[in-house]
Amino acid sequence: AWREKIKISYQAPVDWDVERPEQIGEYGTLMHRVLSEVQDKTDLTAVLNRFENKGEFSQEEKEQIGGQIKKLVKIDEVSYLFTGIEELKAERAILLPDGKALIPDRVVVKDGKVLIVDYKTGQPEAKHKEQLLNYRNLLVEMGYQQVEAYLLYTKDAKLERV
């Protein structure tokens, strides 16, 4: 039956764009993709140009997303997560014993610590903290000693330690 093959999401976006319904959620996806390719904050311009040159977004979207990310990396705590990185894992899966995978947005090794960052383009929700605690606990179980977890709310330019 079709019900077994198709899953329906009952979550609606916060802001409905009735003129361009196809772009609902697209901004968040683009923001995630750009941030996943930025290893160091000095890479931002090159990453934005690459996305524009590949036709993945318009000049207007480039300015909007680029402006938001530049605003984010001006925050000292966020800048720390995007500079002087010893090792970076962006959008890499951590396989669980049951075969499932968890995929944090950014895992940074720096100054003897492992820093997990998850990007959120919407409003804060309790499940976001839960997700980060799962990531952190998993890395501790894997033997990492100093693990810190952060939620980066891109819309509000807010970094929250979990």
Side-chain angles (χ1 to χ4, degrees):
W2 68 270
R3 289 180 194 268
E4 294 168 28
K5 296 178 183 175
I6 297 175
K7 291 184 180 179
I8 299 172
S9 173
Y10 294 99
Q11 295 179 350
V14 175
D15 300 312
W16 285 97
D17 187 346
V18 293
E19 299 299 319
R20 296 178 299 174
E22 73 283 354
Q23 291 189 354
I24 295 169
E26 194 172 304
Y27 175 82
T29 301
L30 280 172
M31 177 68 81
H32 265 84
R33 290 185 53 223
V34 170
L35 284 168
S36 75
E37 291 198 25
V38 176
Q39 291 193 17
D40 188 277
K41 67 182 185 180
T42 58
D43 300 336
L44 180 58
T45 301
V47 170
L48 290 168
N49 287 339
R50 193 166 53 245
F51 271 74
E52 184 184 25
N53 292 340
K54 290 196 292 187
E56 299 202 36
F57 52 50
S58 66
Q59 175 69 32
E60 182 183 328
E61 288 168 318
K62 174 185 171 184
E63 289 170 12
Q64 184 183 14
I65 289 172
Q68 188 63 33
I69 295 173
K70 285 174 187 170
K71 183 177 168 185
L72 289 169
V73 296
K74 283 183 182 173
I75 301 167
D76 287 342
E77 294 84 1
V78 177
S79 180
Y80 178 79
L81 299 168
F82 285 86
T83 52
I85 293 159
E86 296 163 27
E87 189 179 343
L88 172 68
K89 306 280 187 214
E91 302 282 346
R92 297 272 179 89
I94 301 170
L95 295 177
L96 302 175
D98 64 3
K100 292 182 182 172
L102 295 179
I103 306 174
D105 291 332
R106 185 178 187 88
V107 178
V108 172
V109 177
K110 181 176 178 175
D111 300 331
K113 297 183 275 190
V114 176
L115 311 165
I116 309 163
V117 185
D118 216 53
Y119 314 126
K120 301 297 179 191
T121 54
Q123 297 301 311
E125 294 181 40
K127 68 180 182 180
H128 298 163
K129 287 183 182 180
E130 238 177 81
Q131 179 185 21
L132 261 283
L133 289 173
N134 285 337
Y135 293 160
R136 188 178 73 201
N137 293 340
L138 183 61
L139 288 174
V140 168
E141 284 176 28
M142 291 170 66
Y144 293 98
Q145 302 283 313
Q146 293 186 341
V147 182
E148 296 175 10
Y150 297 90
L151 286 164
L152 180 56
Y153 291 98
T154 60
K155 186 176 179 183
D156 299 330
K158 180 180 151 196
L159 183 70
E160 182 181 326
R161 186 169 175 180
V162 178

PDB file of all heavy atoms in Angstrom, residues 32-45 47-48 50 69 73 81-82 85 88 90 106 119:
ATOM      1  N   HIS A  32      23.327  25.388   5.899  1.00  0.00           N
ATOM      2  CA  HIS A  32      24.040  24.201   6.371  1.00  0.00           C
ATOM      3  C   HIS A  32      25.143  23.804   5.400  1.00  0.00           C
ATOM      4  O   HIS A  32      26.260  23.481   5.803  1.00  0.00           O
ATOM      5  CB  HIS A  32      23.069  23.018   6.519  1.00  0.00           C
ATOM      6  CG  HIS A  32      22.528  22.842   7.887  1.00  0.00           C
ATOM      7  ND1 HIS A  32      21.452  23.536   8.343  1.00  0.00           N
ATOM      8  CD2 HIS A  32      22.924  22.028   8.899  1.00  0.00           C
ATOM      9  CE1 HIS A  32      21.193  23.161   9.580  1.00  0.00           C
ATOM     10  NE2 HIS A  32      22.072  22.248   9.949  1.00  0.00           N
ATOM     11  N   ARG A  33      24.815  23.781   4.119  1.00  0.00           N
ATOM     12  CA  ARG A  33      25.795  23.348   3.114  1.00  0.00           C
ATOM     13  C   ARG A  33      26.994  24.283   3.056  1.00  0.00           C
ATOM     14  O   ARG A  33      28.136  23.831   2.953  1.00  0.00           O
ATOM     15  CB  ARG A  33      25.125  23.213   1.746  1.00  0.00           C
ATOM     16  CG  ARG A  33      24.172  22.008   1.724  1.00  0.00           C
ATOM     17  CD  ARG A  33      23.549  21.727   0.385  1.00  0.00           C
ATOM     18  NE  ARG A  33      24.553  21.605  -0.649  1.00  0.00           N
ATOM     19  CZ  ARG A  33      24.433  22.162  -1.861  1.00  0.00           C
ATOM     20  NH1 ARG A  33      23.342  22.819  -2.188  1.00  0.00           N
ATOM     21  NH2 ARG A  33      25.372  22.014  -2.751  1.00  0.00           N
ATOM     22  N   VAL A  34      26.740  25.582   3.110  1.00  0.00           N
ATOM     23  CA  VAL A  34      27.849  26.545   3.081  1.00  0.00           C
ATOM     24  C   VAL A  34      28.705  26.375   4.336  1.00  0.00           C
ATOM     25  O   VAL A  34      29.932  26.258   4.247  1.00  0.00           O
ATOM     26  CB  VAL A  34      27.333  27.999   2.952  1.00  0.00           C
ATOM     27  CG1 VAL A  34      28.469  28.992   3.167  1.00  0.00           C
ATOM     28  CG2 VAL A  34      26.694  28.219   1.586  1.00  0.00           C
ATOM     29  N   LEU A  35      28.075  26.341   5.510  1.00  0.00           N
ATOM     30  CA  LEU A  35      28.833  26.191   6.752  1.00  0.00           C
ATOM     31  C   LEU A  35      29.630  24.897   6.785  1.00  0.00           C
ATOM     32  O   LEU A  35      30.735  24.856   7.318  1.00  0.00           O
ATOM     33  CB  LEU A  35      27.891  26.260   7.959  1.00  0.00           C
ATOM     34  CG  LEU A  35      27.402  27.654   8.331  1.00  0.00           C
ATOM     35  CD1 LEU A  35      26.253  27.579   9.328  1.00  0.00           C
ATOM     36  CD2 LEU A  35      28.531  28.513   8.866  1.00  0.00           C
ATOM     37  N   SER A  36      29.111  23.837   6.163  1.00  0.00           N
ATOM     38  CA  SER A  36      29.830  22.561   6.171  1.00  0.00           C
ATOM     39  C   SER A  36      31.109  22.621   5.336  1.00  0.00           C
ATOM     40  O   SER A  36      32.020  21.826   5.545  1.00  0.00           O
ATOM     41  CB  SER A  36      28.927  21.423   5.688  1.00  0.00           C
ATOM     42  OG  SER A  36      28.748  21.476   4.291  1.00  0.00           O
ATOM     43  N   GLU A  37      31.176  23.563   4.407  1.00  0.00           N
ATOM     44  CA  GLU A  37      32.376  23.680   3.565  1.00  0.00           C
ATOM     45  C   GLU A  37      33.366  24.726   4.069  1.00  0.00           C
ATOM     46  O   GLU A  37      34.470  24.834   3.548  1.00  0.00           O
ATOM     47  CB  GLU A  37      31.970  23.979   2.122  1.00  0.00           C
ATOM     48  CG  GLU A  37      31.281  22.789   1.489  1.00  0.00           C
ATOM     49  CD  GLU A  37      31.254  22.853  -0.027  1.00  0.00           C
ATOM     50  OE1 GLU A  37      32.124  23.509  -0.624  1.00  0.00           O
ATOM     51  OE2 GLU A  37      30.346  22.221  -0.604  1.00  0.00           O
ATOM     52  N   VAL A  38      32.967  25.503   5.066  1.00  0.00           N
ATOM     53  CA  VAL A  38      33.856  26.521   5.631  1.00  0.00           C
ATOM     54  C   VAL A  38      34.692  25.865   6.725  1.00  0.00           C
ATOM     55  O   VAL A  38      34.185  25.551   7.789  1.00  0.00           O
ATOM     56  CB  VAL A  38      33.059  27.721   6.209  1.00  0.00           C
ATOM     57  CG1 VAL A  38      34.000  28.710   6.884  1.00  0.00           C
ATOM     58  CG2 VAL A  38      32.255  28.413   5.116  1.00  0.00           C
ATOM     59  N   GLN A  39      35.968  25.631   6.416  1.00  0.00           N
ATOM     60  CA  GLN A  39      36.847  25.044   7.426  1.00  0.00           C
ATOM     61  C   GLN A  39      37.332  26.117   8.384  1.00  0.00           C
ATOM     62  O   GLN A  39      37.322  25.945   9.582  1.00  0.00           O
ATOM     63  CB  GLN A  39      38.022  24.351   6.755  1.00  0.00           C
ATOM     64  CG  GLN A  39      37.583  23.122   6.001  1.00  0.00           C
ATOM     65  CD  GLN A  39      38.747  22.253   5.598  1.00  0.00           C
ATOM     66  OE1 GLN A  39      39.850  22.372   6.105  1.00  0.00           O
ATOM     67  NE2 GLN A  39      38.497  21.362   4.667  1.00  0.00           N
ATOM     68  N   ASP A  40      37.768  27.232   7.831  1.00  0.00           N
ATOM     69  CA  ASP A  40      38.259  28.372   8.606  1.00  0.00           C
ATOM     70  C   ASP A  40      37.483  29.591   8.133  1.00  0.00           C
ATOM     71  O   ASP A  40      37.087  29.655   6.964  1.00  0.00           O
ATOM     72  CB  ASP A  40      39.766  28.556   8.330  1.00  0.00           C
ATOM     73  CG  ASP A  40      40.390  29.595   9.227  1.00  0.00           C
ATOM     74  OD1 ASP A  40      40.280  30.804   8.889  1.00  0.00           O
ATOM     75  OD2 ASP A  40      40.978  29.229  10.252  1.00  0.00           O
ATOM     76  N   LYS A  41      37.276  30.554   9.024  1.00  0.00           N
ATOM     77  CA  LYS A  41      36.458  31.706   8.631  1.00  0.00           C
ATOM     78  C   LYS A  41      37.044  32.465   7.442  1.00  0.00           C
ATOM     79  O   LYS A  41      36.311  33.126   6.714  1.00  0.00           O
ATOM     80  CB  LYS A  41      36.202  32.634   9.817  1.00  0.00           C
ATOM     81  CG  LYS A  41      37.410  33.346  10.361  1.00  0.00           C
ATOM     82  CD  LYS A  41      37.022  34.192  11.554  1.00  0.00           C
ATOM     83  CE  LYS A  41      38.194  35.010  12.032  1.00  0.00           C
ATOM     84  NZ  LYS A  41      37.829  35.844  13.185  1.00  0.00           N
ATOM     85  N   THR A  42      38.343  32.303   7.190  1.00  0.00           N
ATOM     86  CA  THR A  42      38.953  32.964   6.033  1.00  0.00           C
ATOM     87  C   THR A  42      38.551  32.300   4.711  1.00  0.00           C
ATOM     88  O   THR A  42      38.783  32.850   3.647  1.00  0.00           O
ATOM     89  CB  THR A  42      40.493  32.977   6.153  1.00  0.00           C
ATOM     90  OG1 THR A  42      40.944  31.622   6.276  1.00  0.00           O
ATOM     91  CG2 THR A  42      40.955  33.789   7.360  1.00  0.00           C
ATOM     92  N   ASP A  43      37.933  31.118   4.784  1.00  0.00           N
ATOM     93  CA  ASP A  43      37.476  30.394   3.586  1.00  0.00           C
ATOM     94  C   ASP A  43      36.130  30.884   3.075  1.00  0.00           C
ATOM     95  O   ASP A  43      35.709  30.493   1.984  1.00  0.00           O
ATOM     96  CB  ASP A  43      37.281  28.896   3.877  1.00  0.00           C
ATOM     97  CG  ASP A  43      38.538  28.195   4.332  1.00  0.00           C
ATOM     98  OD1 ASP A  43      39.631  28.688   4.021  1.00  0.00           O
ATOM     99  OD2 ASP A  43      38.416  27.153   4.998  1.00  0.00           O
ATOM    100  N   LEU A  44      35.432  31.686   3.853  1.00  0.00           N
ATOM    101  CA  LEU A  44      34.037  32.004   3.556  1.00  0.00           C
ATOM    102  C   LEU A  44      33.831  32.589   2.169  1.00  0.00           C
ATOM    103  O   LEU A  44      32.962  32.123   1.422  1.00  0.00           O
ATOM    104  CB  LEU A  44      33.456  32.950   4.622  1.00  0.00           C
ATOM    105  CG  LEU A  44      32.007  33.349   4.413  1.00  0.00           C
ATOM    106  CD1 LEU A  44      31.081  32.126   4.365  1.00  0.00           C
ATOM    107  CD2 LEU A  44      31.552  34.323   5.490  1.00  0.00           C
ATOM    108  N   THR A  45      34.606  33.579   1.781  1.00  0.00           N
ATOM    109  CA  THR A  45      34.417  34.219   0.474  1.00  0.00           C
ATOM    110  C   THR A  45      34.588  33.210  -0.658  1.00  0.00           C
ATOM    111  O   THR A  45      33.773  33.166  -1.582  1.00  0.00           O
ATOM    112  CB  THR A  45      35.388  35.405   0.298  1.00  0.00           C
ATOM    113  OG1 THR A  45      35.130  36.344   1.363  1.00  0.00           O
ATOM    114  CG2 THR A  45      35.192  36.097  -1.029  1.00  0.00           C
ATOM    115  N   VAL A  47      34.196  29.949  -0.535  1.00  0.00           N
ATOM    116  CA  VAL A  47      33.082  28.993  -0.500  1.00  0.00           C
ATOM    117  C   VAL A  47      31.843  29.621  -1.116  1.00  0.00           C
ATOM    118  O   VAL A  47      31.162  29.007  -1.939  1.00  0.00           O
ATOM    119  CB  VAL A  47      32.811  28.506   0.941  1.00  0.00           C
ATOM    120  CG1 VAL A  47      31.514  27.712   1.014  1.00  0.00           C
ATOM    121  CG2 VAL A  47      33.979  27.669   1.454  1.00  0.00           C
ATOM    122  N   LEU A  48      31.544  30.865  -0.752  1.00  0.00           N
ATOM    123  CA  LEU A  48      30.376  31.559  -1.312  1.00  0.00           C
ATOM    124  C   LEU A  48      30.500  31.713  -2.825  1.00  0.00           C
ATOM    125  O   LEU A  48      29.534  31.483  -3.560  1.00  0.00           O
ATOM    126  CB  LEU A  48      30.202  32.930  -0.655  1.00  0.00           C
ATOM    127  CG  LEU A  48      29.759  32.921   0.810  1.00  0.00           C
ATOM    128  CD1 LEU A  48      29.916  34.301   1.423  1.00  0.00           C
ATOM    129  CD2 LEU A  48      28.334  32.416   0.940  1.00  0.00           C
ATOM    130  N   ARG A  50      32.208  29.831  -4.851  1.00  0.00           N
ATOM    131  CA  ARG A  50      32.081  28.503  -5.461  1.00  0.00           C
ATOM    132  C   ARG A  50      30.599  28.131  -5.606  1.00  0.00           C
ATOM    133  O   ARG A  50      30.178  27.648  -6.652  1.00  0.00           O
ATOM    134  CB  ARG A  50      32.842  27.479  -4.620  1.00  0.00           C
ATOM    135  CG  ARG A  50      33.038  26.165  -5.295  1.00  0.00           C
ATOM    136  CD  ARG A  50      34.079  25.266  -4.624  1.00  0.00           C
ATOM    137  NE  ARG A  50      33.877  25.041  -3.209  1.00  0.00           N
ATOM    138  CZ  ARG A  50      34.714  25.460  -2.247  1.00  0.00           C
ATOM    139  NH1 ARG A  50      35.821  26.124  -2.553  1.00  0.00           N
ATOM    140  NH2 ARG A  50      34.465  25.200  -0.982  1.00  0.00           N
ATOM    141  N   ILE A  69      26.539  34.683   7.916  1.00  0.00           N
ATOM    142  CA  ILE A  69      27.695  33.930   8.432  1.00  0.00           C
ATOM    143  C   ILE A  69      28.776  34.898   8.920  1.00  0.00           C
ATOM    144  O   ILE A  69      29.397  34.664   9.962  1.00  0.00           O
ATOM    145  CB  ILE A  69      28.243  32.947   7.371  1.00  0.00           C
ATOM    146  CG1 ILE A  69      27.190  31.867   7.084  1.00  0.00           C
ATOM    147  CG2 ILE A  69      29.542  32.305   7.852  1.00  0.00           C
ATOM    148  CD1 ILE A  69      27.535  30.941   5.930  1.00  0.00           C
ATOM    149  N   VAL A  73      30.478  34.832  12.666  1.00  0.00           N
ATOM    150  CA  VAL A  73      31.900  34.645  13.006  1.00  0.00           C
ATOM    151  C   VAL A  73      32.521  35.872  13.660  1.00  0.00           C
ATOM    152  O   VAL A  73      33.662  35.814  14.114  1.00  0.00           O
ATOM    153  CB  VAL A  73      32.746  34.142  11.805  1.00  0.00           C
ATOM    154  CG1 VAL A  73      32.299  32.771  11.369  1.00  0.00           C
ATOM    155  CG2 VAL A  73      32.757  35.119  10.669  1.00  0.00           C
ATOM    156  N   LEU A  81      35.446  28.642  16.964  1.00  0.00           N
ATOM    157  CA  LEU A  81      35.095  27.365  16.352  1.00  0.00           C
ATOM    158  C   LEU A  81      35.451  27.302  14.862  1.00  0.00           C
ATOM    159  O   LEU A  81      35.346  26.254  14.240  1.00  0.00           O
ATOM    160  CB  LEU A  81      33.591  27.098  16.522  1.00  0.00           C
ATOM    161  CG  LEU A  81      33.107  27.003  17.969  1.00  0.00           C
ATOM    162  CD1 LEU A  81      31.582  27.043  18.022  1.00  0.00           C
ATOM    163  CD2 LEU A  81      33.643  25.757  18.641  1.00  0.00           C
ATOM    164  N   PHE A  82      35.843  28.448  14.305  1.00  0.00           N
ATOM    165  CA  PHE A  82      36.159  28.535  12.874  1.00  0.00           C
ATOM    166  C   PHE A  82      37.572  29.068  12.617  1.00  0.00           C
ATOM    167  O   PHE A  82      37.843  29.574  11.542  1.00  0.00           O
ATOM    168  CB  PHE A  82      35.125  29.422  12.157  1.00  0.00           C
ATOM    169  CG  PHE A  82      33.795  28.752  11.952  1.00  0.00           C
ATOM    170  CD1 PHE A  82      32.816  28.783  12.930  1.00  0.00           C
ATOM    171  CD2 PHE A  82      33.526  28.057  10.776  1.00  0.00           C
ATOM    172  CE1 PHE A  82      31.590  28.163  12.747  1.00  0.00           C
ATOM    173  CE2 PHE A  82      32.303  27.430  10.582  1.00  0.00           C
ATOM    174  CZ  PHE A  82      31.336  27.487  11.574  1.00  0.00           C
ATOM    175  N   ILE A  85      42.017  25.489  13.668  1.00  0.00           N
ATOM    176  CA  ILE A  85      41.515  24.144  13.894  1.00  0.00           C
ATOM    177  C   ILE A  85      42.596  23.113  13.586  1.00  0.00           C
ATOM    178  O   ILE A  85      43.251  23.176  12.548  1.00  0.00           O
ATOM    179  CB  ILE A  85      40.261  23.911  13.011  1.00  0.00           C
ATOM    180  CG1 ILE A  85      39.144  24.817  13.512  1.00  0.00           C
ATOM    181  CG2 ILE A  85      39.837  22.463  13.012  1.00  0.00           C
ATOM    182  CD1 ILE A  85      38.079  25.065  12.492  1.00  0.00           C
ATOM    183  N   LEU A  88      39.125  18.796  11.578  1.00  0.00           N
ATOM    184  CA  LEU A  88      37.715  19.118  11.370  1.00  0.00           C
ATOM    185  C   LEU A  88      36.999  17.955  10.722  1.00  0.00           C
ATOM    186  O   LEU A  88      37.492  17.373   9.755  1.00  0.00           O
ATOM    187  CB  LEU A  88      37.578  20.360  10.475  1.00  0.00           C
ATOM    188  CG  LEU A  88      36.165  20.704  10.002  1.00  0.00           C
ATOM    189  CD1 LEU A  88      35.299  21.156  11.163  1.00  0.00           C
ATOM    190  CD2 LEU A  88      36.215  21.773   8.930  1.00  0.00           C
ATOM    191  N   ALA A  90      33.245  17.616   9.210  1.00  0.00           N
ATOM    192  CA  ALA A  90      31.983  18.292   8.914  1.00  0.00           C
ATOM    193  C   ALA A  90      31.031  17.302   8.263  1.00  0.00           C
ATOM    194  O   ALA A  90      31.374  16.653   7.276  1.00  0.00           O
ATOM    195  CB  ALA A  90      32.215  19.490   7.993  1.00  0.00           C
ATOM    196  N   ARG A 106      29.305  19.764  12.727  1.00  0.00           N
ATOM    197  CA  ARG A 106      30.720  20.138  12.776  1.00  0.00           C
ATOM    198  C   ARG A 106      31.343  19.566  14.042  1.00  0.00           C
ATOM    199  O   ARG A 106      30.821  19.764  15.135  1.00  0.00           O
ATOM    200  CB  ARG A 106      30.834  21.665  12.771  1.00  0.00           C
ATOM    201  CG  ARG A 106      32.240  22.220  12.701  1.00  0.00           C
ATOM    202  CD  ARG A 106      32.173  23.771  12.647  1.00  0.00           C
ATOM    203  NE  ARG A 106      33.473  24.363  12.412  1.00  0.00           N
ATOM    204  CZ  ARG A 106      34.007  24.599  11.227  1.00  0.00           C
ATOM    205  NH1 ARG A 106      33.331  24.295  10.134  1.00  0.00           N
ATOM    206  NH2 ARG A 106      35.199  25.145  11.103  1.00  0.00           N
ATOM    207  N   TYR A 119      24.210  23.270  13.743  1.00  0.00           N
ATOM    208  CA  TYR A 119      23.594  24.502  13.250  1.00  0.00           C
ATOM    209  C   TYR A 119      22.083  24.354  13.249  1.00  0.00           C
ATOM    210  O   TYR A 119      21.555  23.335  12.816  1.00  0.00           O
ATOM    211  CB  TYR A 119      24.031  24.801  11.814  1.00  0.00           C
ATOM    212  CG  TYR A 119      25.508  24.659  11.565  1.00  0.00           C
ATOM    213  CD1 TYR A 119      25.974  23.841  10.536  1.00  0.00           C
ATOM    214  CD2 TYR A 119      26.436  25.325  12.344  1.00  0.00           C
ATOM    215  CE1 TYR A 119      27.327  23.705  10.292  1.00  0.00           C
ATOM    216  CE2 TYR A 119      27.795  25.187  12.100  1.00  0.00           C
ATOM    217  CZ  TYR A 119      28.229  24.377  11.077  1.00  0.00           C
ATOM    218  OH  TYR A 119      29.564  24.232  10.837  1.00  0.00           O
TER     219      TYR A 119
END
